[in-house]
Amino acid sequence: MSDTENASLSPEARELHDGLDRVWGNPRGLRALTVVNHTTVGLRFIITGAVFFLIGGLLAMLIRTQLAFPDQEFMSHETYNQVFTMHGTVMMFLFAIPILEGLAIYMIPKMIGARDLVCPRLTAFGYWCYLFGGIILTSSLLLEMAPASGWFMYTPLSSGEYSPGRGSDFWLLGITFVEISALSAGVELVVSILRTRTQGMALHKMPLFAWYILAMALMIVVGFPPLILGSILLELERATGMPFFDVSGGGDPVLWAHLFWLFGHPEVYIIFLPGAGIVSTLIPVFAGRPIVGYGWVVAAVIIMGFVSFGLWVHHMFTLGIPQLALAFFSAASMLVAIPTAIQIFVWLSTLWLGRPVMKLPMLWIVGFLVIFVLGGLTGVMLALVPFNWQVHDTHFVVAHMHYVLVGGMLFPLMAALYYWLPQVSGRMPSERLGRWSFWLIFLGFNTTFLVMHWTGLLGMRRRVFTYDADMGWGLYNLISSVGGFMMAAGIALLLLDIALHFRFGKKASQNPWNADGLEWAMPKPPTAYNFVSLPAIETRHPLWEDPELPRTIEEGRHGLANIDHGRRETWGTDPLTGKLRETIHLSGNSWLPLLAALALAVVCISLLVRIYPLAAVATVVSIVILLHWSWVNGAHPKMAPDATVAPGEPPLHSRTMNGPGVWTMSVSHLANGSLFLSLLFGWFYLWTVAPEWQMPATSPLSMPMLVAAGGALTLGTLWLVKLVRRLRQHDDTGLSGGLYFAAALGALQSVLLGVVIWQADLAPTETAHDATLLVALLYVLIHALLGGLLCLLQGLRVGYGYVSAEVPYEPVVVLRLWNYNVVVYWILFVAIWGIPTLLGGG
Amino acid sequence: MLRWVLGGGVLLPVVSIVALLLLGAPTGRGMLPLPLPGGEEVELIEVVGHQWWWEVRYPGDEDQNDVVTANHLVMPAGEPVDFRLISADVIHAFWIPRLGGKRDMVPGRHSTIRLEADAPGVFGAQCAEFCGAQHTNMLLQVEAVERDEFDAWLAERRTPPEQVEDHDQAREAFGEHCASCHRVEGLPDEFAVGGREYDMEGPDLSDIGSRPTLGAGVLPMEEGAIAYWLQHHQTLKPGNRMPPHDHIDIETLENIGAWLETLEP
Amino acid sequence: MMKHLLKLTHPIHLVGGVTLWGIWFVAIYGGLSVACSVAPPAAEQDTLTGINVVIGILTLVVAGLLLWLAWASVGAARKTSLRRECYFAFTSAGVYLFSAMGTLFVGIPVIFLPPCL
C-alpha cells in the first residue's frame, strides 16, 4: 500500500489495515513456500510461464538456425526432432496455458471485488504441479531424452515399438502432471466467478474479461480430460503393453488422434479467449467509452466456447475419414468466423466511436488486430477440405498457426503486461523502449511468418530437418530466420524494459489509464487482501461512475471491514443477481499443497524410471496428504478460529448447505464426466471402428456381481440423500452412524467390484477389449473407494464436532460425489455389459 | 453502431462462408473415388508406407503376379488413377504436390485417393506426416507416362527375368547377407541361405537397376551408387532400418552393388 | 426448483442453443460413422442414400426447433419487465438464431456428398 495515502487514514482504518495484514500477509523466508494467496501465486505462474517462454523461444531459434540454409548440418536429425517437439510442447503446455491461467488467477478476484479465489490451497497446489511437471518435462532436453514424435504425439510413432526410449514417457507423464494444474485452476476460476463476485455485481454487470475467463475455464474443465485419458491409455500401453492404439491387438491409432484433437482444438480457443478478453477490456479504456454491444460479445464468447468443440476433426482431414463427415467439420470450422467477426467489429466500432489514445498497450492491440485477422483468414482457407489437403502438414499451416497463436495470444498478453504493470509494481514502463521492442517484434514476426506461407505453398513440409538446395526454398527460409532473430531481439529489449522499469519507472497514479475496472481501486502495489472493504457494485464501470471508490474502500467504509475474528473472508453471492448469500471463509497459508505436489512428483518420476513399488508408496502418501487437506476444512479451528458473525452479516458458508464447495464439487464432476465420456467414446469407437477388435460371444463380467455392486452404491446414495434431507431440517440424530453405514456400503461396492475384476480373468495385454474393460472397471472401483473413504471421514468429523446440524455443509458435498457415482456406474453397466449382451458378440 | 456489427460481424462472414461451402463441397466431390460416368475401370495402384521408404504395388489377378517396386512410381497420364494407401508401421502421408492433395496412410486401414496427371511428366512426391527419424528423406519419384508406355512398362515387369549365370558370387553373398529382408524376383532358392522368412521387410529389389534414386531419394542412381550406398548408408541416411555393413568386406559389397545394378527388366 | 430453468429468461438458455447444436452435431457425426461401419451403401447410390435422407430430416427438425426457441425467446424478452431478464432473453434469442442457422449451414453438404467415401 502506498505510504502517501496511508498517511491520511484515520486510526481506526489504519488498525484495520494492520489487522488484515496480520491475517492475510505473506510470510518470508522458507515459509514463503506455504503462500496460497492468489496475487502471489498468480505472479509465480506468470513468471514461471515467462521462463518457459524463453526456453521455448530458444528452441525456436535453434530451429530457425537449422533451416536458415539448405543442407545445413547444425543439428542432427535426432536433436532436431527433439527440438521441434519440445518447442511445440513447451509453448503450448508450459507457456501459453499456464501464463494465461496465471493472469486470470491474478486478475479475476481483483476485477470482481473479491479478496481471493475460493480454494486458495488449490491455487498453490496447481502452481506446484505446474512447476514440477514443467521441470520434469524440460529436464528431458538436458538428458537428451526428449520426446521426438511431434507435439501431438501420434501413435504408433510414439508407442513403445517405434519410440523405445523414455522420450514419450516424459511427455505423457509430465503433461498429465501439468494438466492437474490446468484443471484445478479451471475449476476454481469457474466457481470464483460465479459465486464470489462482490455484492450487487449481477451476471450481466460483470466485467467482460470475467465472461471470457469463465468460458475459458469451463472449456479447460471439459476439454482437458480427453487428453488426460489419452495420455493415461498411451502410457499404459507403453508401460504394460495394453493395446489401446495397436491395431493387431484390436486397438486403433486414430483413437489417439481423436482424443488428442478433442482436446487440441478447444485448446486453441482456450488460449485465444483470454487474449480476446484482454482486448475487450483494454479497447474501451483507451477509446474512453463503454464497449459497443456488451451482449453481442457475451453471445459471441458463448458460441465460440461451444462451436470450438465441434472442430476437432479439422486437424484430421487427411486421415481418410469419409468426406461427408469432413464436410460437417469443415462447415462448423467456417461457422467460427461469425463470432470472431462479431468481436472484431465490436472492437472496431468501439474505437471508431471513441477517442482512441495510442498508448503503448494500444499499440500491441493494433498489432493483434492486424496479425489475428490475417491468421483468421488463412484459418477460413484451411477449413476448406480440398485446400486443406494441399497445404496440410506444410509450412503454410505452421505460418497460419503462429499467426493465430502469436497474434491471438502473445500480442494481447503483451498489451496486458504493459497495461497492468503499474497495477503490479506501482510504476509506469518506458514508452520509448516499449515502442522499440513492439516494432522489432511486430516486424520480426511478420518477416518470419508471412514468408513462411509462401514456403509452404511451394511444398516445404513441416518437421523436416533440412531441405535440398535444388528446391529453391533457401532464400525464403533465410528471410524467415532473419525475422525470427529480429523478434528475439525485440523480446530481449522488452525484458530489459520491464527490468529497468522496476528501478527507474515513474510512480503510477491511482488510475493511470483512467480505466473503469475495480482492479484500479486497489492499493498499489497490491496488498494480499486486495480490498480493505468490499464495495457494492451496481454498474459495469465502477471507477468511471464513482472515482472516489479507491478512497472509500481504503477507509473501510464498505463490507467485511472487520478482522477481529482472524478469518480470511470474502463475500459469497448469488451467481445470477449478485445478492449476498454467505460469508466465505478461506484457508490460510499451508504446507499441504507443496507436500501433495511433491508426493505426486515422486509418483511421476518413479513411473518414468519404472520403479513401481516406489510409485505405489508415493501414491499412498499423496492420498494421505490430500485426505489430511480435506480434514483441515470447514469447521476445523484452523479454518474458522472464531465462528461468530457480526449481526446483519450473512452466515459463514460452512454453516450453509449450498456454499462454494458444493459448486466446486459439481464443476469438478464436469471434468470427471468429460473423462468418463471420453472413456465411453473410446470403448464404442474401438468397438465399431477398430479393424481387429474382437468382441467375445458372452461378456466375461459376472452380471449378478455387477448388479449387486450397483445395488450397494444405489442404496448408499439413497441413504445419504435421507441423511442430508434430515440435516436440512436441522436434525442430526444418528448422523455419524448413518455416515459409517454409507461408508460400509461403499466398501461393499468396492469388494464386489474387485470380485468382478478377479472373476472376469481378463487378458488386458492381449486385447484392447479386455484392456478397455479393465480401465473402465478400475475407474468405478476408484470412485467407489473414494466415496466410502469420504463417508468414513465424515463420520469421524461428526465426533469432532466439525459436522453437525449447525455445520451441515460437508455431507452435501460428499453426496454430490455419490450422485455422480450412481449415474456413471449404471451408464457404464449398460455400456459394457448391457449393450454387448443385447447385441451378442462378434 | 449496430449497423457495423451486423454488417461486418454477421453479414460479411455469412456471405463468405456460404460462398466457400457451396464452392468447396463440389470441388471435394471431384476427388472422390466414385465410379466413372462411362463405367470405365480406373487404374489402381497400391502404395505402402514404410519407415522410411515407399513400396509400390500394381495388383495382378489370377493369371498375373503383382508387380512390386519401391521408391519409384509409374502411372498412366491423362486418366484418373486410384491410389490405395496402406501403412506397414506408423502413420505416413502420401503426397504428390503437383497432382493434388495428400492422404494419410494409417496402419490397419486403407484409404483411396484419386489423382490425375494431365500430361506426361516427372513429379516429386514425399511423406507429409511426420513419421520419425528419417521423415525428411522419405521421397518418391513419380513418372506419368502415356497409356501404352505404361502398359509396356508393366508388362516388362510381369515377364519373369532371364536367369543370369554370372554374378554367382554376388548372388551368394546377397543370399547370405540381404535376402532375409530383400526380395529379388528369380533369385534361386539355393542362394537364399537365411531362407525366405523375412525378418523385416526391406524394399523389393527386382528392378532396382531401373529406378531413378536410391534410399528413397537420398542418392541418384549412377554406376557404383549402390556399392557406395551399401558402405555408407548409415551416414547418408542415419537411423535407417538397414543394419550397418561393417562386418562385410568392401569387395563383396561392391560385387553385390554391381550385380544389383544389372537388375532391370 | 428445476422449473425456473425452463423459463426462457433464465441465463441457462444462453447456452441452450449451442448445446442443442452440439448434441445434434455429435449425433450426425456419430450416426454417420456407425452407419458407415455397419451398413455402408454402395458407391453407385451417390447421395441418394438413407443416411443422407435421415441426416437431412434431422437437420431440418433441429433447425426448426431452434428457430422456434429463438422466436419464443424474443417473445419472452418483450413480456418481462425486469431489465436483467430481458437482457438474457434477447442474448439467448441471438444464440438460438445462430444455432439454427449453424445447423442448416453444417447440414448443407448432405446434398452434395455420398456418405461413406
Side-chain angles (χ1 to χ4, degrees):
Chain A
M1 143 187 9
S2 52
D3 308 353
T4 42
E5 280 160 275
N6 209 2
S8 61
L9 285 179
S10 66
E12 295 84 37
R14 191 162 319 160
E15 200 177 311
L16 182 60
H17 282 244
D18 292 345
L20 282 166
D21 265 336
R22 235 182 355 263
V23 174
W24 286 84
N26 289 341
R28 288 171 179 278
L30 200 58
R31 293 189 63 84
L33 298 175
T34 65
V35 170
V36 296
N37 181 268
H38 79 101
T39 300
T40 311
V41 179
L43 280 178
R44 286 181 185 171
F45 260 102
I46 293 171
I47 292 166
T48 314
V51 170
F52 282 119
F53 172 69
L54 295 181
I55 295 175
L58 199 66
L59 295 173
M61 291 304 98
L62 292 178
I63 294 174
R64 280 323 319 169
T65 310
Q66 169 80 3
L67 293 181
F69 300 99
D71 301 312
Q72 275 255 89
E73 288 182 16
F74 171 68
M75 274 187 279
S76 72
H77 66 89
E78 284 150 324
T79 317
Y80 184 81
N81 293 348
Q82 293 185 10
V83 165
F84 79 69
T85 301
M86 285 300 283
H87 167 69
T89 306
V90 168
M91 286 302 197
M92 285 294 203
F93 293 99
L94 301 184
F95 161 61
I97 293 179
I99 204 167
L100 292 170
E101 280 163 9
L103 181 69
I105 287 171
Y106 182 92
M107 292 312 311
I108 283 293
K110 299 181 173 62
M111 295 175 111
I112 61 176
R115 282 189 180 144
D116 206 338
L117 294 167
V118 274
C119 319
R121 285 177 297 183
L122 195 61
T123 325
F125 176 66
Y127 174 72
W128 297 121
C129 287
Y130 162 48
L131 181 68
F132 297 151
I135 289 175
I136 290 173
L137 192 56
T138 39
S139 70
S140 68
L141 268 175
L142 298 179
L143 300 169
E144 292 187 54
M145 291 203 264
S149 326
W151 78 276
F152 35 87
M153 293 294 282
Y154 271 179
T155 175
L157 184 60
S158 59
S159 68
E161 188 177 351
Y162 297 103
S163 295
R166 285 278 169 276
S168 303
D169 302 311
F170 270 106
W171 195 95
L172 295 166
L173 294 166
I175 291 298
T176 306
F177 200 16
V178 171
E179 284 181 354
I180 297 175
S181 102
L183 277 183
S184 51
V187 169
E188 108 173 303
L189 283 168
V190 171
V191 181
S192 296
I193 292 172
L194 289 178
R195 289 290 271 105
T196 67
R197 299 193 306 270
T198 192
Q199 188 180 358
M201 191 185 275
L203 195 57
H204 63 295
K205 286 181 185 149
M206 72 179 185
L208 272 177
F209 188 73
W211 275 105
Y212 279 98
I213 296 300
L214 181 63
M216 166 193 97
L218 279 169
M219 289 178 70
I220 287 179
V221 166
V222 180
F224 274 56
L227 178 62
I228 294 182
L229 177 80
S231 304
I232 293 173
L233 296 186
L234 186 52
E235 185 54 34
L236 278 174
E237 178 177 300
R238 287 179 56 88
T240 69
M242 294 186 184
F244 298 105
F245 307 107
D246 177 9
V247 177
S248 59
D252 189 349
V254 179
L255 176 62
W256 169 266
H258 275 295
L259 290 174
F260 186 88
W261 291 117
L262 259 172
F263 144 82
H265 198 82
E267 197 233 13
V268 175
Y269 288 81
I270 290 171
I271 292 174
F272 168 63
L273 280 175
I278 293 166
V279 178
S280 291
T281 308
L282 266 58
I283 283 192
V285 171
F286 290 97
R289 56 152 294 139
I291 197 145
V292 171
Y294 177 96
W296 285 89
V297 176
V298 172
V301 170
I302 292 170
I303 290 171
M304 267 195 158
F306 274 79
V307 174
S308 65
F309 278 92
L311 313 183
W312 80 94
V313 170
H314 84 207
H315 298 263
M316 301 158 64
F317 276 170
T318 62
L319 265 169
I321 294 166
Q323 239 199 55
L324 182 58
L326 297 189
F328 294 150
F329 284 94
S330 166
S333 309
M334 294 178 191
L335 276 185
V336 180
I338 298 174
T340 315
I342 289 177
Q343 291 177 73
I344 287 174
F345 280 90
V346 162
W347 296 327
L348 289 180
S349 9
T350 308
L351 286 175
W352 184 259
L353 294 173
R355 290 212 184 97
V357 195
M358 278 306 261
K359 290 271 178 55
L360 201 46
M362 207 43 215
L363 201 58
W364 286 97
I365 297 283
V366 173
F368 151 81
L369 281 172
V370 172
I371 292 178
F372 184 73
V373 167
L374 285 173
L377 290 179
T378 50
V380 176
M381 290 162 79
L382 282 167
L384 202 65
V385 177
F387 182 78
N388 184 293
W389 281 355
Q390 190 62 27
V391 297
H392 180 73
D393 274 330
T394 67
H395 273 72
F396 186 89
V397 169
V398 178
H400 157 73
M401 176 171 87
H402 283 87
Y403 263 82
V404 176
L405 291 174
V406 175
M409 182 264 174
L410 190 71
F411 274 66
L413 189 72
M414 293 301 160
L417 179 72
Y418 278 109
Y419 176 68
W420 278 308
L421 205 54
Q423 207 279 342
V424 177
S425 66
R427 291 173 185 272
M428 302 298 283
S430 129
E431 279 274 332
R432 191 193 294 167
L433 266 182
R435 273 173 206 272
W436 268 95
S437 75
F438 168 80
W439 284 109
L440 273 175
I441 294 174
F442 181 79
L443 294 176
F445 173 82
N446 283 297
T447 313
T448 312
F449 292 104
L450 200 61
V451 181
M452 204 180 276
H453 289 104
W454 186 243
T455 327
L457 287 176
L458 286 177
M460 181 157 167
R461 301 165 287 163
R462 70 196 282 199
R463 301 177 170 180
V464 290
F465 65 89
T466 191
Y467 51 91
D468 209 70
D470 300 344
M471 302 307 292
W473 303 332
L475 180 63
Y476 307 113
N477 274 296
L478 185 60
I479 293 174
S480 282
S481 295
V482 170
F485 283 96
M486 221 164 120
M487 199 176 158
I491 299 279
L493 203 58
L494 187 132
L495 288 177
L496 183 71
D497 186 17
I498 306 291
L500 288 180
H501 112 283
F502 279 101
R503 181 87 175 73
F504 301 107
K506 275 199 316 252
K507 271 239 173 342
S509 62
Q510 178 64 37
N511 187 356
W513 313 111
N514 191 22
D516 56 344
L518 264 186
E519 75 272 24
W520 297 105
M522 285 179 45
K524 268 191 294 303
T527 46
Y529 46 87
N530 292 351
F531 304 96
V532 175
S533 54
L534 300 183
I537 298 296
E538 303 279 351
T539 155
R540 285 177 192 157
H541 313 287
L543 254 61
W544 283 349
E545 294 188 11
D546 181 7
E548 288 300 295
L549 209 50
R551 198 170 47 80
T552 52
I553 289 175
E554 188 85 358
E555 289 169 359
R557 290 209 249 145
H558 303 276
L560 287 182
N562 175 15
I563 195 63
D564 303 336
H565 43 63
R567 297 186 297 260
R568 295 191 175 192
E569 284 183 333
T570 192
W571 287 133
T573 46
D574 184 86
L576 200 55
T577 58
K579 285 205 182 83
L580 279 190
R581 271 172 45 168
E582 62 267 288
T583 307
I584 297 174
H585 56 106
L586 301 163
S587 158
N589 297 330
S590 161
W591 285 103
L592 289 169
L594 176 62
L595 293 177
L598 273 176
L600 284 179
V602 175
V603 175
C604 184
I605 293 171
S606 48
L607 287 176
L608 196 57
V609 294
R610 305 210 169 156
I611 305 177
Y612 296 120
L614 181 61
V617 172
T619 308
V620 172
V621 171
S622 52
I623 290 172
V624 169
I625 296 173
L626 290 172
L627 288 177
H628 178 63
W629 176 337
S630 82
W631 186 263
V632 188
N633 226 336
H636 192 284
K638 272 198 187 162
M639 290 296 285
D642 170 3
T644 50
V645 181
E649 281 194 355
L652 293 184
H653 79 273
S654 53
R655 274 70 182 168
T656 68
M657 297 195 78
N658 194 16
V662 181
W663 288 67
T664 313
M665 194 56 145
S666 303
V667 179
S668 309
H669 281 320
L670 217 54
N672 200 348
S674 166
L675 186 85
F676 175 72
L677 283 179
S678 310
L679 183 60
L680 219 54
F681 167 74
W683 166 256
F684 285 114
Y685 183 85
L686 290 180
W687 182 0
T688 48
V689 177
E692 307 279 327
W693 174 269
Q694 280 170 357
M695 203 66 172
T698 53
S699 171
L701 307 178
S702 151
M703 194 272 279
M705 284 291 170
L706 277 175
V707 171
L713 171 64
T714 314
L715 186 63
T717 312
L718 293 173
W719 183 259
L720 278 175
V721 169
K722 200 188 80 182
L723 283 181
V724 168
R725 191 179 304 140
R726 283 184 23 208
L727 273 179
R728 228 177 262 286
Q729 289 153 2
H730 224 74
D731 173 8
D732 59 4
T733 43
L735 183 60
S736 63
L739 286 165
Y740 288 139
F741 180 62
L745 284 172
L748 178 63
Q749 187 207 355
S750 314
V751 171
L752 289 170
L753 279 173
V755 174
V756 170
I757 296 174
W758 178 65
Q759 276 187 343
D761 200 20
L762 299 170
T765 54
E766 305 290 317
T767 67
H769 171 268
D770 284 12
T772 317
L773 269 193
L774 182 64
V775 169
L777 288 170
L778 286 176
Y779 178 83
V780 280
L781 177 62
I782 291 170
H783 281 79
L785 285 169
L786 189 64
L789 205 55
L790 290 187
C791 277
L792 181 70
L793 286 181
Q794 286 296 304
L796 287 173
R797 286 174 78 82
V798 175
Y800 283 83
Y802 299 161
V803 175
S804 65
E806 307 304 312
V807 200
Y809 180 54
E810 291 171 13
V812 190
V813 181
V814 175
L815 175 61
R816 291 271 152 137
L817 174 68
W818 281 71
N819 284 340
Y820 174 83
N821 285 358
V822 164
V823 174
V824 159
Y825 186 87
W826 289 114
I827 292 178
L828 193 71
F829 175 74
V830 171
I832 64 174
W833 189 86
I835 302 180
T837 305
L838 200 69
L839 298 181
Chain B
M1 75 181 198
L2 195 65
R3 211 174 39 207
W4 270 81
V5 178
L6 262 179
V10 181
L11 207 61
L12 179 73
V14 166
V15 170
S16 350
I17 64 178
V18 168
L20 261 181
L21 188 73
L22 292 181
L23 269 167
T27 312
R29 234 188 108 81
M31 301 167 103
L32 283 175
L34 284 167
L36 291 183
E40 307 98 331
E41 281 275 298
V42 180
E43 187 69 40
L44 180 80
I45 301 176
E46 211 170 75
V47 186
V48 188
H50 293 261
Q51 272 186 330
W52 295 277
W53 57 280
W54 306 88
E55 177 182 341
V56 184
R57 310 181 69 98
Y58 299 81
D61 48 34
E62 298 92 60
D63 322 319
Q64 297 169 322
N65 294 331
D66 290 5
V67 168
V68 187
T69 178
N71 302 330
H72 181 212
L73 191 155
V74 177
M75 65 185 277
E79 58 179 276
V81 177
D82 282 350
F83 293 92
R84 203 175 119 94
L85 308 173
I86 315 170
S87 163
D89 37 50
V90 304
I91 301 177
H92 303 274
F94 174 73
W95 185 29
I96 315 174
R98 297 278 300 278
L99 300 192
K102 59 184 71 66
R103 183 63 71 80
D104 290 359
M105 315 168 104
V106 184
R109 51 179 78 196
H110 52 81
S111 67
T112 307
I113 185 170
R114 179 167 294 175
L115 298 172
E116 181 171 342
D118 296 330
V122 177
F123 311 105
Q126 46 193 350
C127 174
E129 183 66 62
F130 180 69
C131 59
Q134 282 297 340
H135 165 64
T136 305
N137 288 316
M138 185 165 164
L139 308 172
L140 168 68
Q141 199 176 90
V142 176
E143 274 174 55
V145 296
E146 297 293 355
R147 181 77 219 187
D148 30 332
E149 206 181 320
F150 173 74
D151 288 336
W153 183 87
L154 211 53
E156 259 178 8
R157 278 158 181 76
R158 287 222 158 97
T159 42
E162 307 155 32
Q163 286 301 322
V164 194
E165 293 308 321
D166 46 351
H167 294 296
D168 261 5
Q169 242 185 333
R171 290 198 289 172
E172 198 175 328
F174 181 87
E176 187 186 339
H177 299 296
C178 320
S180 59
C181 299
H182 295 283
R183 200 183 80 98
V184 166
E185 175 80 37
L187 181 75
D189 276 344
E190 75 252 29
F191 288 119
V193 180
R196 286 286 164 80
E197 290 294 309
Y198 295 130
D199 296 343
M200 65 170 273
E201 262 180 286
D204 187 310
L205 303 179
S206 303
D207 68 346
I208 184 169
S210 69
R211 294 177 196 164
T213 69
L214 259 181
V218 175
L219 285 181
M221 184 68 82
E222 297 157 350
E223 206 183 322
I226 299 184
Y228 184 73
W229 165 256
L230 287 178
Q231 291 166 55
H232 304 291
H233 67 98
Q234 281 298 353
T235 11
L236 291 165
K237 189 171 176 176
N240 82 71
R241 295 286 189 228
M242 183 154 68
H245 296 142
D246 305 336
H247 59 294
I248 309 174
D249 59 78
I250 294 178
E251 200 190 352
T252 312
L253 292 177
E254 280 171 349
N255 275 337
I256 297 176
W259 167 61
L260 287 175
E261 273 166 23
T262 67
L263 294 181
E264 37 191 323
Chain C
M1 149 158 195
M2 302 305 274
K3 218 169 166 188
H4 69 276
L5 293 182
L6 284 176
K7 280 171 53 185
L8 286 167
T9 47
H10 191 277
I12 196 80
H13 288 276
L14 290 175
V15 296
V18 269
T19 306
L20 280 175
W21 177 86
I23 295 171
W24 164 82
F25 188 77
V26 169
I28 60 163
Y29 171 61
L32 175 70
S33 310
V34 171
C36 283
S37 78
V38 176
E44 286 75 27
Q45 272 180 281
D46 208 329
T47 57
L48 296 170
T49 68
I51 300 177
N52 288 57
V53 172
V54 170
I55 293 179
I57 292 173
L58 192 66
T59 303
L60 291 177
V61 170
V62 172
L65 174 71
L66 286 165
L67 272 180
W68 175 77
L69 280 166
W71 180 74
S73 296
V74 174
R78 291 236 168 94
K79 247 184 280 162
T80 179
S81 52
L82 258 173
R83 200 176 130 43
R84 186 185 76 233
E85 297 198 331
C86 173
Y87 168 79
F88 285 130
F90 264 125
T91 312
S92 309
V95 180
Y96 275 124
L97 183 68
F98 170 87
S99 310
M101 293 302 146
T103 307
L104 287 177
F105 180 72
V106 174
I108 290 177
V110 289
I111 305 170
F112 298 106
L113 294 169
C116 304
L117 288 175

